[in-house]
Amino acid sequence: MMVKKRFLYQMLTLFIVIVLLYSLITSSIIFYKSYQMTDAQSNHSNKLYIEQNSNYADFKLRTAMEFVYKISTLQGLIDYRYSTDTNYQYIATLYNELNEQMRGFGQLGFTFGITKLTDDLVITAAGTYNIRNYLNELGIDAEALERLQQMEGPFLASNTYVVPESLSRKSGNIVMIHQMVNLDLEPLYFFVVIDRVSLLPGIADNPKGNFYLHTNETISSYIHDKTLDTDISARINTFYNQESPENMNHRRVGSTINYIHPSKVIPNLNYVYSSKVTSFGTIFAQIWKAALFPSLLLLLLGLVLAYMATRSSYKPIRQLLHFLDEHKGNSAPPSREQAKQIHELDYIKSSIEQMYSINHALQDKLDDSIVHLREDFFRKVIYGIASDEFIQENLAVLQLERFGEDLNVILLECEGIGALDQTVSAPNLTLIFNTLIRNMQGESGDFFTLPLDKTKYCIIFTHVSQECLKSIAETVVLTIEDELSLDITACISSTYPLGELTSALQELLRMSNYQYATHKVLTPQYVQDLEEVVCYYPIETEACLINYVNSNELGKAYDLLKNLLDQNLNQPTLSSVTLSNLKHSFLTTFKRCLNTSGTTLNQFVKEYPDILNEFMEASVSQFTERTFTLFELVFNYCNKDKFCLESSTASQIFIYIHKNFDKDLSLTDIATEFNLSESYVSKLLKNSLDINFKQYVNTLKVKRAKELLNQGKYKVHEVATIVGCNNTNTFIRIFKQYIGVSPGEYVKNLNHL
């Protein structure tokens, strides 16, 4: 018995020593990692703070500069700029156009002023001023204009000068002066006034930091601690001289840490955030106070567990000794069950933990895949390859019973996503659409968003009226255009059962041909009543020209454009007003060509800065030549990145099949249309929906044939011709293969019902 107790005490001592060592090592690691985490969290918070606020400020500045570029194309501004003397008619026209354009920018905190300096007159949305009074109104010194004309270096890249605090008497405004230079004309100056509160951030997580806007001088600042880094100008100059740009974002100097974020809009503008460094002692003291009680509690718990572990570990040994005492002198080896007793509990515990881990992983995979399974379900239904049995089986499995009744579909088409990808990361439009619709206070009912490709999205609704659908579509279009600057149109279908969503898709695709109409939201009734709305040529002609540009058919586009010019220029009298309106009509059409290719007019103008001025200044005799010159540049710009395979290729092929399945459509026709090989198209269709090309086309033909036979107006051979089967016997064979009876028997069964 004494041997047993001595062994017990030795095991207890060993476990206590292990607990103490483990507690010491763990506490050291916890304290060190906590310090690193606190320091990294503070650093990350400061970086995120300056990055978010600098990106927000850049967004505001970019919006202001894009507005400057936008109003620079106004006809009133062009007339005012080219006038050699003070023409008050041009000034009044420019004032009215500026007022109209400012309506959408009033809530962004911007005001604008335009002047040539030569007429001592500044035109704003609030009225006209002479230059001295306008500068006094802004609270800036006249020296700011003199510096603007003398600027060199980074200024030459942007033609924009930000007025520093030393030349500004009003701390509430930040003033930018943008100069538009033309070798043949006097420079044009834009005053952009931004509210300081809307551009600078509020209080950060660390209230002891300072936020600056700085070029070669401080522009404005949001200072929480007046004594912190007052000589920021010398400090930034030191960084520029000693450090490379990638090392300037995180620099410790003494007791402060400085973050410098260059502006992406104004080349020589920097955002600076300076904050005090939290010392190791301060952080350690905070961690120690917070962790002292938990550490003691864990130590006490460890001692208790050590005692319990000793007892538990000693129990099988005591049983073994007792067994040996009872069978003293018996040298036979212990049985297999007896030998397994020591490890049995550990084995059971390990097995349970392993099963729990596998079950947890499977549950995570199921949760992640449910959305993709629903997308696959609706995609098969809307493309017309889902049978009635497949639909009924999966409605309950995917928890979509509420979609088993009549449905409406909204087709959203976004243009300009390619241009947006070049400036910011691509947005998750599905998430944005879902958030917008859910926030409409229950008007939307149940819905599901199905992306067809990266520009087309179908939103399927149940139990929603046409008025609510129109309201939802208008809200989504307005929000996306305002916040993401994307061109977006919405088409609303009629009401269809779930099994006939293919017809809904075909209706929406027909309606999408009118996406360049005056309305952004198209309904079946509106499309039915839609007539020619373009002033000088029909909207169908414009859509045809855009299609030629997108399909890289330059010859057809040239012929169509030449006919349009001949029809509009060969008039007995062509007034200057008519010519100006015609220029704007062509410019609008060219803009839509760029939008459908994923680019914007602003991007095009940046690459060809003088081409629009030449086009808008063209006389009647020069108009044809200038129009073809501009169109050729637009055509080449739209087609420079064409024919790259994207993930949306399969969806585009399915849409093409839906539009042309009632013809003698072959795999060769599709391969030629999309500039792909037949084997690639066949494999793409097979991998996308697990069906070959011929089966898919025949499914659509049979579905359409059933609709025609149900009407009772057509004979079998007429139906065969309508759905694209030139041979009636072939049509009968296909129909019987998919329906189970011949077309004649199908009609007889209808008559008996």
Side-chain angles (χ1 to χ4, degrees):
M1 183 64 66
M2 294 299 297
V3 174
K4 296 180 182 179
K5 289 186 176 180
R6 208 166 36 242
F7 187 77
L8 175 64
Y9 297 150
Q10 290 175 353
M11 291 186 64
L12 179 60
T13 302
L14 177 61
F15 275 113
I16 291 176
V17 171
I18 293 174
V19 168
L20 292 175
L21 289 175
Y22 176 80
S23 299
L24 180 61
I25 295 172
T26 304
S27 299
S28 300
I29 294 175
I30 290 175
F31 279 107
Y32 179 73
K33 291 297 182 181
S34 298
Y35 166 74
Q36 285 187 326
M37 186 181 301
T38 303
D39 185 65
Q41 184 177 4
S42 176
N43 183 38
H44 175 73
S45 177
N46 290 336
K47 283 184 178 180
L48 183 63
Y49 176 72
I50 188 173
E51 183 176 357
Q52 287 179 339
N53 286 286
S54 58
N55 287 341
Y56 175 75
D58 273 348
F59 169 76
K60 298 278 288 190
L61 294 176
R62 184 180 294 108
T63 302
M65 296 308 299
E66 287 179 354
F67 181 77
V68 169
Y69 298 141
K70 179 179 180 181
I71 63 178
S72 65
T73 62
L74 295 177
Q75 185 63 41
L77 181 61
I78 295 172
D79 295 336
Y80 168 73
R81 188 178 185 187
Y82 279 81
S83 62
T84 57
D85 54 1
T86 304
N87 189 318
Y88 289 98
Q89 181 179 357
Y90 292 158
I91 293 173
T93 301
L94 177 56
Y95 168 78
N96 292 331
E97 292 183 349
L98 184 60
N99 259 305
E100 183 179 353
Q101 294 296 328
M102 281 295 293
R103 292 176 184 172
F105 287 79
Q107 297 179 354
L108 297 181
F110 300 150
T111 59
F112 294 85
I114 306 171
T115 182
K116 293 192 293 188
L117 291 183
T118 56
D119 55 5
D120 192 26
L121 192 66
V122 180
I123 305 171
T124 71
T128 58
Y129 303 82
N130 63 44
I131 294 177
R132 174 174 294 182
N133 291 339
Y134 185 70
L135 294 180
N136 289 333
E137 179 71 19
L138 298 183
I140 63 175
D141 297 337
E143 184 184 349
L145 288 175
E146 298 176 5
R147 288 195 185 183
L148 172 65
Q149 297 167 346
Q150 298 172 1
M151 285 293 291
E152 296 179 354
F155 167 74
L156 298 176
S158 64
N159 288 4
T160 305
Y161 174 65
V162 188
V163 179
E165 282 185 340
S166 61
L167 298 179
S168 178
R169 298 186 299 278
K170 288 187 178 181
S171 60
N173 291 336
I174 297 175
V175 182
M176 296 191 304
I177 308 175
H178 178 75
Q179 183 185 42
M180 183 175 291
V181 180
N182 189 307
L183 296 178
D184 300 327
L185 302 171
E186 290 293 329
L188 191 64
Y189 298 90
F190 294 83
F191 290 86
V192 183
V193 184
I194 306 175
D195 184 28
R196 173 182 176 274
V197 176
S198 68
L199 193 63
L200 291 176
I203 298 176
D205 293 337
N206 179 6
K208 297 182 180 180
N210 299 340
F211 193 94
Y212 301 86
L213 271 67
H214 186 87
T215 55
N216 57 333
E217 294 182 63
T218 299
I219 305 304
S220 187
S221 60
Y222 193 100
I223 301 177
H224 303 285
D225 186 353
K226 295 289 185 181
T227 64
L228 189 61
D229 280 342
T230 56
D231 193 14
I232 191 65
S233 179
R235 191 177 300 281
I236 294 178
N237 292 334
T238 301
F239 290 164
Y240 271 114
N241 294 331
Q242 296 180 357
E243 300 290 335
S244 59
E246 58 270 21
N247 295 327
M248 290 172 54
N249 192 36
H250 181 196
R251 174 70 183 266
R252 295 177 185 262
V253 178
S255 62
T256 62
I257 182 169
N258 303 277
Y259 304 87
I260 302 177
H261 199 286
S263 172
K264 299 176 183 176
V265 180
I266 309 299
N268 63 332
L269 180 65
N270 298 281
Y271 306 100
V272 184
Y273 182 68
S274 182
S275 176
K276 285 184 177 180
V277 178
T278 306
S279 64
F280 176 83
T282 302
I283 297 178
F284 188 84
Q286 294 176 352
I287 297 173
W288 174 257
K289 291 179 181 179
L292 177 59
F293 179 77
S295 298
L296 294 177
L297 184 61
L298 288 175
L299 179 60
L300 179 61
L301 180 62
L303 294 176
V304 174
L305 291 177
Y307 176 76
M308 295 178 63
T310 303
R311 292 285 303 271
S312 177
S313 301
Y314 184 71
K315 184 177 181 179
I317 297 175
R318 184 176 58 186
Q319 292 176 348
L320 179 59
L321 292 176
H322 181 69
F323 174 81
L324 293 175
D325 289 338
E326 291 181 347
H327 300 80
K328 191 173 182 179
N330 187 1
S331 60
S335 65
R336 180 175 299 179
E337 291 297 326
Q338 293 173 342
K340 289 175 58 179
Q341 285 181 358
I342 300 176
H343 305 289
E344 194 172 58
L345 293 177
D346 290 337
Y347 174 77
I348 295 173
K349 181 181 178 181
S350 175
S351 300
I352 293 175
E353 291 178 349
Q354 186 177 6
M355 292 172 62
Y356 175 80
S357 177
I358 295 173
N359 184 60
H360 189 69
L362 290 174
Q363 185 63 40
D364 289 343
K365 290 182 179 179
L366 179 61
D367 293 339
D368 292 337
S369 62
I370 188 69
V371 175
H372 300 290
L373 292 174
R374 289 175 176 175
E375 286 186 1
D376 181 68
F377 170 77
F378 278 114
R379 187 171 284 108
K380 288 184 177 180
V381 172
I382 206 167
Y383 284 148
I385 61 172
S387 63
D388 295 338
E389 293 79 9
F390 173 84
I391 294 175
Q392 295 303 321
E393 290 175 1
N394 285 273
L395 278 177
V397 174
L398 300 177
Q399 301 175 4
L400 296 174
E401 295 91 342
R402 58 192 183 279
F403 290 91
E405 300 178 3
D406 292 343
L407 306 172
N408 297 90
V409 184
I410 295 179
L411 176 65
L412 297 172
E413 295 192 56
C414 300
E415 303 294 344
I417 293 180
L420 188 64
D421 289 346
Q422 299 176 9
T423 57
V424 297
S425 58
N428 187 339
L429 291 180
T430 300
L431 178 61
I432 293 174
F433 294 150
N434 290 341
T435 303
L436 288 174
I437 297 173
R438 289 194 186 99
N439 289 339
M440 297 187 68
Q441 300 180 350
E443 291 184 5
S444 57
D446 293 325
F447 67 93
F448 186 84
T449 303
L450 175 66
L452 299 182
D453 56 34
K454 72 176 184 179
T455 62
K456 294 183 179 65
Y457 294 80
C458 280
I459 305 180
I460 305 169
F461 290 88
T462 177
H463 302 299
V464 181
S465 64
Q466 286 288 330
E467 292 76 12
C468 288
L469 288 173
K470 187 175 181 181
S471 175
I472 292 169
E474 290 174 347
T475 301
V476 171
V477 168
L478 181 61
T479 304
I480 296 299
E481 287 188 340
D482 288 346
E483 297 186 1
L484 298 181
S485 299
L486 294 176
D487 291 332
I488 180 170
T489 57
C491 301
I492 303 175
S493 76
S494 304
T495 302
Y496 291 89
L498 176 62
E500 297 181 11
L501 284 187
T502 303
S503 301
L505 178 61
Q506 294 172 0
E507 180 186 18
L508 291 169
L509 292 176
R510 288 193 296 270
M511 294 171 63
S512 66
N513 294 329
Y514 294 91
Q515 62 178 312
Y516 298 107
T518 55
H519 286 60
K520 289 287 188 177
V521 177
L522 305 180
T523 62
Q525 184 61 42
Y526 174 76
V527 171
Q528 183 178 354
D529 299 337
L530 187 64
E531 297 177 353
E532 296 180 355
V533 296
V534 179
C535 182
Y536 294 98
Y537 43 86
I539 192 171
E540 291 84 359
T541 304
E542 180 186 75
C544 188
L545 181 62
I546 293 172
N547 183 58
Y548 288 155
V549 173
N550 290 336
S551 58
N552 200 23
E553 298 180 83
L554 182 59
K556 294 181 179 179
Y558 267 148
D559 293 340
L560 182 57
L561 186 60
K562 184 177 183 302
N563 290 334
L564 289 178
L565 289 170
D566 292 342
Q567 294 172 6
N568 288 278
L569 294 180
N570 294 335
Q571 299 181 10
T573 58
L574 187 65
S575 64
S576 59
V577 175
T578 303
L579 180 61
S580 177
N581 291 337
L582 186 60
K583 291 177 181 178
H584 283 286
S585 295
F586 276 109
L587 190 59
T588 301
T589 298
F590 296 160
K591 172 183 175 295
R592 289 170 177 165
C593 291
L594 292 167
N595 291 155
T596 57
S597 299
T599 57
T600 63
L601 185 62
N602 285 337
Q603 290 178 294
F604 176 77
V605 171
K606 289 179 182 178
E607 188 162 336
Y608 303 99
D610 299 326
I611 190 64
L612 287 188
N613 289 338
E614 295 176 359
F615 176 74
M616 298 304 294
E617 295 167 5
S619 62
V620 177
S621 60
Q622 300 172 330
F623 184 66
T624 299
E625 179 184 354
R626 295 282 176 85
T627 301
F628 275 108
T629 301
L630 177 58
F631 176 72
E632 183 176 352
L633 293 175
V634 170
F635 185 91
N636 293 332
Y637 196 84
C638 292
N639 289 280
K640 62 181 181 179
D641 296 324
K642 280 293 179 69
F643 305 118
C644 59
L645 293 180
E646 300 178 356
S647 59
S648 63
T649 304
S651 295
Q652 295 296 332
I653 291 176
F654 284 124
I655 291 173
Y656 180 81
I657 293 174
H658 272 262
K659 290 183 177 180
N660 299 278
F661 75 89
D662 54 354
K663 303 175 183 177
D664 190 12
L665 189 64
S666 67
L667 200 59
T668 303
D669 298 332
I670 297 178
T672 303
E673 175 70 20
F674 289 90
N675 197 23
L676 301 171
S677 66
E678 293 184 24
S679 60
Y680 180 83
V681 173
S682 177
K683 183 178 180 181
L684 191 63
L685 295 174
K686 184 69 175 178
N687 293 340
S688 298
L689 292 174
D690 195 24
I691 191 172
N692 62 43
F693 167 75
K694 203 64 179 177
Q695 290 174 333
Y696 187 56
V697 173
N698 288 341
T699 300
L700 296 178
K701 290 180 182 293
V702 170
K703 188 179 288 287
R704 179 58 177 161
K706 286 176 60 179
E707 295 175 357
L708 296 174
L709 292 173
N710 289 339
Q711 296 177 10
K713 299 179 182 179
Y714 303 96
K715 297 181 179 179
V716 173
H717 71 275
E718 293 175 336
V719 172
T721 303
I722 293 174
V723 299
C725 290
N726 297 329
N727 190 309
T728 305
N729 292 331
T730 301
F731 167 71
I732 294 174
R733 178 177 55 80
I734 294 173
F735 191 92
K736 187 173 183 179
Q737 178 183 355
Y738 285 86
I739 304 302
V741 295
S742 65
E745 294 173 344
Y746 180 81
V747 173
K748 289 180 181 179
N749 293 335
L750 289 177
N751 295 333
H752 289 306
L753 294 178

PDB file of all heavy atoms in Angstrom, residues 725-742:
ATOM      1  N   CYS A 725     -39.202  22.758 -88.184  1.00  0.00           N
ATOM      2  CA  CYS A 725     -39.010  21.401 -88.708  1.00  0.00           C
ATOM      3  C   CYS A 725     -39.564  21.358 -90.132  1.00  0.00           C
ATOM      4  O   CYS A 725     -40.796  21.373 -90.326  1.00  0.00           O
ATOM      5  CB  CYS A 725     -39.713  20.368 -87.826  1.00  0.00           C
ATOM      6  SG  CYS A 725     -38.950  20.139 -86.210  1.00  0.00           S
ATOM      7  N   ASN A 726     -38.678  21.326 -91.116  1.00  0.00           N
ATOM      8  CA  ASN A 726     -39.119  21.326 -92.510  1.00  0.00           C
ATOM      9  C   ASN A 726     -39.757  20.000 -92.912  1.00  0.00           C
ATOM     10  O   ASN A 726     -40.555  19.940 -93.839  1.00  0.00           O
ATOM     11  CB  ASN A 726     -37.936  21.643 -93.422  1.00  0.00           C
ATOM     12  CG  ASN A 726     -37.387  23.039 -93.163  1.00  0.00           C
ATOM     13  OD1 ASN A 726     -38.130  23.949 -92.792  1.00  0.00           O
ATOM     14  ND2 ASN A 726     -36.081  23.207 -93.337  1.00  0.00           N
ATOM     15  N   ASN A 727     -39.425  18.931 -92.210  1.00  0.00           N
ATOM     16  CA  ASN A 727     -39.971  17.607 -92.507  1.00  0.00           C
ATOM     17  C   ASN A 727     -40.998  17.261 -91.435  1.00  0.00           C
ATOM     18  O   ASN A 727     -40.674  17.168 -90.250  1.00  0.00           O
ATOM     19  CB  ASN A 727     -38.840  16.563 -92.517  1.00  0.00           C
ATOM     20  CG  ASN A 727     -39.315  15.227 -93.059  1.00  0.00           C
ATOM     21  OD1 ASN A 727     -40.330  14.700 -92.615  1.00  0.00           O
ATOM     22  ND2 ASN A 727     -38.572  14.682 -94.014  1.00  0.00           N
ATOM     23  N   THR A 728     -42.267  17.084 -91.855  1.00  0.00           N
ATOM     24  CA  THR A 728     -43.345  16.806 -90.891  1.00  0.00           C
ATOM     25  C   THR A 728     -43.120  15.487 -90.168  1.00  0.00           C
ATOM     26  O   THR A 728     -43.395  15.376 -88.964  1.00  0.00           O
ATOM     27  CB  THR A 728     -44.703  16.783 -91.618  1.00  0.00           C
ATOM     28  OG1 THR A 728     -44.882  18.013 -92.323  1.00  0.00           O
ATOM     29  CG2 THR A 728     -45.838  16.613 -90.627  1.00  0.00           C
ATOM     30  N   ASN A 729     -42.611  14.462 -90.878  1.00  0.00           N
ATOM     31  CA  ASN A 729     -42.370  13.166 -90.240  1.00  0.00           C
ATOM     32  C   ASN A 729     -41.321  13.288 -89.138  1.00  0.00           C
ATOM     33  O   ASN A 729     -41.430  12.650 -88.081  1.00  0.00           O
ATOM     34  CB  ASN A 729     -41.930  12.138 -91.283  1.00  0.00           C
ATOM     35  CG  ASN A 729     -43.048  11.792 -92.253  1.00  0.00           C
ATOM     36  OD1 ASN A 729     -44.241  11.855 -91.899  1.00  0.00           O
ATOM     37  ND2 ASN A 729     -42.699  11.431 -93.481  1.00  0.00           N
ATOM     38  N   THR A 730     -40.294  14.097 -89.411  1.00  0.00           N
ATOM     39  CA  THR A 730     -39.275  14.317 -88.377  1.00  0.00           C
ATOM     40  C   THR A 730     -39.886  14.986 -87.160  1.00  0.00           C
ATOM     41  O   THR A 730     -39.584  14.633 -86.007  1.00  0.00           O
ATOM     42  CB  THR A 730     -38.136  15.191 -88.932  1.00  0.00           C
ATOM     43  OG1 THR A 730     -37.560  14.546 -90.070  1.00  0.00           O
ATOM     44  CG2 THR A 730     -37.071  15.421 -87.871  1.00  0.00           C
ATOM     45  N   PHE A 731     -40.772  15.952 -87.393  1.00  0.00           N
ATOM     46  CA  PHE A 731     -41.437  16.644 -86.288  1.00  0.00           C
ATOM     47  C   PHE A 731     -42.280  15.669 -85.468  1.00  0.00           C
ATOM     48  O   PHE A 731     -42.266  15.702 -84.227  1.00  0.00           O
ATOM     49  CB  PHE A 731     -42.308  17.778 -86.838  1.00  0.00           C
ATOM     50  CG  PHE A 731     -43.261  18.345 -85.828  1.00  0.00           C
ATOM     51  CD1 PHE A 731     -42.790  19.116 -84.761  1.00  0.00           C
ATOM     52  CD2 PHE A 731     -44.626  18.098 -85.921  1.00  0.00           C
ATOM     53  CE1 PHE A 731     -43.676  19.632 -83.829  1.00  0.00           C
ATOM     54  CE2 PHE A 731     -45.500  18.612 -84.995  1.00  0.00           C
ATOM     55  CZ  PHE A 731     -45.024  19.379 -83.940  1.00  0.00           C
ATOM     56  N   ILE A 732     -43.031  14.799 -86.147  1.00  0.00           N
ATOM     57  CA  ILE A 732     -43.885  13.834 -85.442  1.00  0.00           C
ATOM     58  C   ILE A 732     -43.025  12.906 -84.586  1.00  0.00           C
ATOM     59  O   ILE A 732     -43.364  12.592 -83.435  1.00  0.00           O
ATOM     60  CB  ILE A 732     -44.730  13.038 -86.453  1.00  0.00           C
ATOM     61  CG1 ILE A 732     -45.723  13.982 -87.164  1.00  0.00           C
ATOM     62  CG2 ILE A 732     -45.468  11.892 -85.761  1.00  0.00           C
ATOM     63  CD1 ILE A 732     -46.505  13.321 -88.282  1.00  0.00           C
ATOM     64  N   ARG A 733     -41.896  12.455 -85.150  1.00  0.00           N
ATOM     65  CA  ARG A 733     -41.010  11.552 -84.394  1.00  0.00           C
ATOM     66  C   ARG A 733     -40.454  12.242 -83.137  1.00  0.00           C
ATOM     67  O   ARG A 733     -40.423  11.656 -82.054  1.00  0.00           O
ATOM     68  CB  ARG A 733     -39.866  11.093 -85.301  1.00  0.00           C
ATOM     69  CG  ARG A 733     -38.856  10.194 -84.595  1.00  0.00           C
ATOM     70  CD  ARG A 733     -37.791   9.713 -85.564  1.00  0.00           C
ATOM     71  NE  ARG A 733     -37.137  10.821 -86.243  1.00  0.00           N
ATOM     72  CZ  ARG A 733     -36.171  11.552 -85.687  1.00  0.00           C
ATOM     73  NH1 ARG A 733     -35.760  11.262 -84.453  1.00  0.00           N
ATOM     74  NH2 ARG A 733     -35.613  12.543 -86.348  1.00  0.00           N
ATOM     75  N   ILE A 734     -40.015  13.495 -83.282  1.00  0.00           N
ATOM     76  CA  ILE A 734     -39.463  14.231 -82.134  1.00  0.00           C
ATOM     77  C   ILE A 734     -40.547  14.453 -81.084  1.00  0.00           C
ATOM     78  O   ILE A 734     -40.318  14.273 -79.874  1.00  0.00           O
ATOM     79  CB  ILE A 734     -38.871  15.571 -82.598  1.00  0.00           C
ATOM     80  CG1 ILE A 734     -37.656  15.330 -83.505  1.00  0.00           C
ATOM     81  CG2 ILE A 734     -38.474  16.447 -81.412  1.00  0.00           C
ATOM     82  CD1 ILE A 734     -37.100  16.598 -84.139  1.00  0.00           C
ATOM     83  N   PHE A 735     -41.750  14.841 -81.520  1.00  0.00           N
ATOM     84  CA  PHE A 735     -42.851  15.112 -80.591  1.00  0.00           C
ATOM     85  C   PHE A 735     -43.212  13.849 -79.801  1.00  0.00           C
ATOM     86  O   PHE A 735     -43.404  13.900 -78.579  1.00  0.00           O
ATOM     87  CB  PHE A 735     -44.064  15.626 -81.375  1.00  0.00           C
ATOM     88  CG  PHE A 735     -45.159  16.173 -80.510  1.00  0.00           C
ATOM     89  CD1 PHE A 735     -45.188  17.531 -80.188  1.00  0.00           C
ATOM     90  CD2 PHE A 735     -46.154  15.348 -80.006  1.00  0.00           C
ATOM     91  CE1 PHE A 735     -46.200  18.041 -79.383  1.00  0.00           C
ATOM     92  CE2 PHE A 735     -47.164  15.848 -79.213  1.00  0.00           C
ATOM     93  CZ  PHE A 735     -47.181  17.210 -78.898  1.00  0.00           C
ATOM     94  N   LYS A 736     -43.289  12.722 -80.493  1.00  0.00           N
ATOM     95  CA  LYS A 736     -43.644  11.478 -79.816  1.00  0.00           C
ATOM     96  C   LYS A 736     -42.547  11.034 -78.863  1.00  0.00           C
ATOM     97  O   LYS A 736     -42.811  10.466 -77.800  1.00  0.00           O
ATOM     98  CB  LYS A 736     -43.921  10.391 -80.863  1.00  0.00           C
ATOM     99  CG  LYS A 736     -44.469   9.102 -80.263  1.00  0.00           C
ATOM    100  CD  LYS A 736     -44.883   8.122 -81.353  1.00  0.00           C
ATOM    101  CE  LYS A 736     -45.493   6.866 -80.744  1.00  0.00           C
ATOM    102  NZ  LYS A 736     -45.929   5.906 -81.775  1.00  0.00           N
ATOM    103  N   GLN A 737     -41.290  11.310 -79.217  1.00  0.00           N
ATOM    104  CA  GLN A 737     -40.166  10.929 -78.360  1.00  0.00           C
ATOM    105  C   GLN A 737     -40.222  11.652 -77.012  1.00  0.00           C
ATOM    106  O   GLN A 737     -39.918  11.061 -75.966  1.00  0.00           O
ATOM    107  CB  GLN A 737     -38.845  11.247 -79.070  1.00  0.00           C
ATOM    108  CG  GLN A 737     -37.604  10.929 -78.241  1.00  0.00           C
ATOM    109  CD  GLN A 737     -36.333  11.327 -78.966  1.00  0.00           C
ATOM    110  OE1 GLN A 737     -36.361  11.745 -80.114  1.00  0.00           O
ATOM    111  NE2 GLN A 737     -35.212  11.201 -78.282  1.00  0.00           N
ATOM    112  N   TYR A 738     -40.643  12.935 -77.011  1.00  0.00           N
ATOM    113  CA  TYR A 738     -40.635  13.718 -75.784  1.00  0.00           C
ATOM    114  C   TYR A 738     -41.973  13.688 -75.048  1.00  0.00           C
ATOM    115  O   TYR A 738     -42.007  13.833 -73.819  1.00  0.00           O
ATOM    116  CB  TYR A 738     -40.256  15.177 -76.091  1.00  0.00           C
ATOM    117  CG  TYR A 738     -38.786  15.366 -76.365  1.00  0.00           C
ATOM    118  CD1 TYR A 738     -38.263  15.172 -77.644  1.00  0.00           C
ATOM    119  CD2 TYR A 738     -37.915  15.733 -75.342  1.00  0.00           C
ATOM    120  CE1 TYR A 738     -36.921  15.338 -77.899  1.00  0.00           C
ATOM    121  CE2 TYR A 738     -36.567  15.901 -75.587  1.00  0.00           C
ATOM    122  CZ  TYR A 738     -36.056  15.704 -76.864  1.00  0.00           C
ATOM    123  OH  TYR A 738     -34.719  15.873 -77.111  1.00  0.00           O
ATOM    124  N   ILE A 739     -43.093  13.554 -75.757  1.00  0.00           N
ATOM    125  CA  ILE A 739     -44.417  13.614 -75.124  1.00  0.00           C
ATOM    126  C   ILE A 739     -44.992  12.222 -74.896  1.00  0.00           C
ATOM    127  O   ILE A 739     -45.760  11.999 -73.960  1.00  0.00           O
ATOM    128  CB  ILE A 739     -45.382  14.467 -75.972  1.00  0.00           C
ATOM    129  CG1 ILE A 739     -44.787  15.857 -76.196  1.00  0.00           C
ATOM    130  CG2 ILE A 739     -46.738  14.609 -75.289  1.00  0.00           C
ATOM    131  CD1 ILE A 739     -44.481  16.616 -74.915  1.00  0.00           C
ATOM    132  N   GLY A 740     -44.597  11.264 -75.729  1.00  0.00           N
ATOM    133  CA  GLY A 740     -45.098   9.900 -75.582  1.00  0.00           C
ATOM    134  C   GLY A 740     -46.215   9.558 -76.545  1.00  0.00           C
ATOM    135  O   GLY A 740     -46.557   8.388 -76.710  1.00  0.00           O
ATOM    136  N   VAL A 741     -46.811  10.551 -77.180  1.00  0.00           N
ATOM    137  CA  VAL A 741     -47.872  10.335 -78.174  1.00  0.00           C
ATOM    138  C   VAL A 741     -47.577  11.220 -79.375  1.00  0.00           C
ATOM    139  O   VAL A 741     -46.817  12.191 -79.292  1.00  0.00           O
ATOM    140  CB  VAL A 741     -49.262  10.669 -77.597  1.00  0.00           C
ATOM    141  CG1 VAL A 741     -49.625   9.720 -76.467  1.00  0.00           C
ATOM    142  CG2 VAL A 741     -49.328  12.112 -77.117  1.00  0.00           C
ATOM    143  N   SER A 742     -48.189  10.912 -80.519  1.00  0.00           N
ATOM    144  CA  SER A 742     -48.000  11.711 -81.715  1.00  0.00           C
ATOM    145  C   SER A 742     -48.782  13.020 -81.589  1.00  0.00           C
ATOM    146  O   SER A 742     -49.682  13.142 -80.749  1.00  0.00           O
ATOM    147  CB  SER A 742     -48.465  10.935 -82.945  1.00  0.00           C
ATOM    148  OG  SER A 742     -49.874  10.723 -82.873  1.00  0.00           O
TER     149      SER A 742
END
